[in-house]
Amino acid sequence: MRSCSSVLKAEALFSSFGDNRNYARNVFLDPAGRRFFADWDRSAQSSVASLRATMHQHPSPQERAALIEELRTDDEFDRLWEQYDVAPKTAEVKTLRHERVGDITVSFHAFAVMSAPGRQLIVYQPEPGSVSESRLLTLRIGALHPGPTGVGAASD
């Protein structure tokens, strides 16, 4: 059985976004979010529920309040926020629409980072031997050896 054991930096996978440091901002405030997440409604709902579940762990109440205020400028975030769903990210399957390589279906698992309260490590794993695995490997090769257009030689 083959496995996509090589590490792909988040920057390559989330290159559609202007700033990929905050998942909720990507989902709601970045114009790429609605294109990137194939099931945007599900991504939006789980993003808000996870934020509610982990917000008490944020090291700065002021930064947390500023983030929520910023996100509430989006009508859909505000609607979901008012529903008060609370559910931490654990594991799920999702499809991502990457602008260079196409749809990538991955399962993900979320892990708490004990040394950084409020932070999570999210591990994405494609089905071994799948088209999605091939596309992730293409992104990895492109990130390591960018060609003139920023895409590696292995891209389609």
Side-chain angles (χ1 to χ4, degrees):
M1 173 177 4
R2 250 180 46 163
S3 170
C4 184
S5 60
S6 301
V7 175
L8 172 69
K9 289 190 172 190
E11 290 86 6
L13 183 58
F14 291 97
S15 62
S16 300
F17 298 101
D19 180 358
N20 61 22
R21 292 177 292 165
N22 185 281
Y23 186 85
R25 280 188 183 112
N26 288 347
V27 172
F28 292 99
L29 302 179
D30 193 305
R34 293 180 193 264
R35 292 185 309 272
F36 184 78
F37 300 102
D39 186 351
W40 185 86
D41 291 333
R42 175 71 191 122
S43 292
Q45 182 181 20
S46 68
S47 174
V48 173
S50 177
L51 185 58
R52 278 239 185 245
T54 59
M55 65 185 276
H56 68 282
Q57 298 172 344
H58 198 288
S60 166
Q62 295 81 10
E63 287 179 19
R64 176 182 65 220
L67 173 64
I68 300 304
E69 183 178 333
E70 177 186 7
L71 290 168
R72 289 192 83 168
T73 63
D74 180 90
D75 291 339
E76 187 62 13
F77 178 89
D78 193 52
R79 184 186 72 75
L80 292 168
W81 187 253
E82 290 299 319
Q83 290 180 359
Y84 215 89
D85 290 339
V86 180
K89 287 185 189 290
T90 54
E92 192 175 316
V93 174
K94 64 172 55 184
T95 299
L96 309 173
R97 291 192 172 127
H98 196 276
E99 63 190 357
R100 291 194 325 238
V101 298
D103 286 2
I104 301 169
T105 300
V106 294
S107 60
F108 80 80
H109 298 276
F111 303 92
V113 179
M114 301 306 284
S115 63
R119 301 282 181 159
Q120 292 181 317
L121 171 66
I122 310 292
V123 178
Y124 291 106
Q125 179 69 44
E127 183 71 32
S130 68
V131 171
S132 293
E133 179 186 47
S134 175
R135 290 176 176 171
L136 280 174
L137 289 171
T138 297
L139 283 177
R140 181 178 183 273
I141 290 167
L144 293 173
H145 307 288
T149 61
V151 178
S155 65
D156 343 295

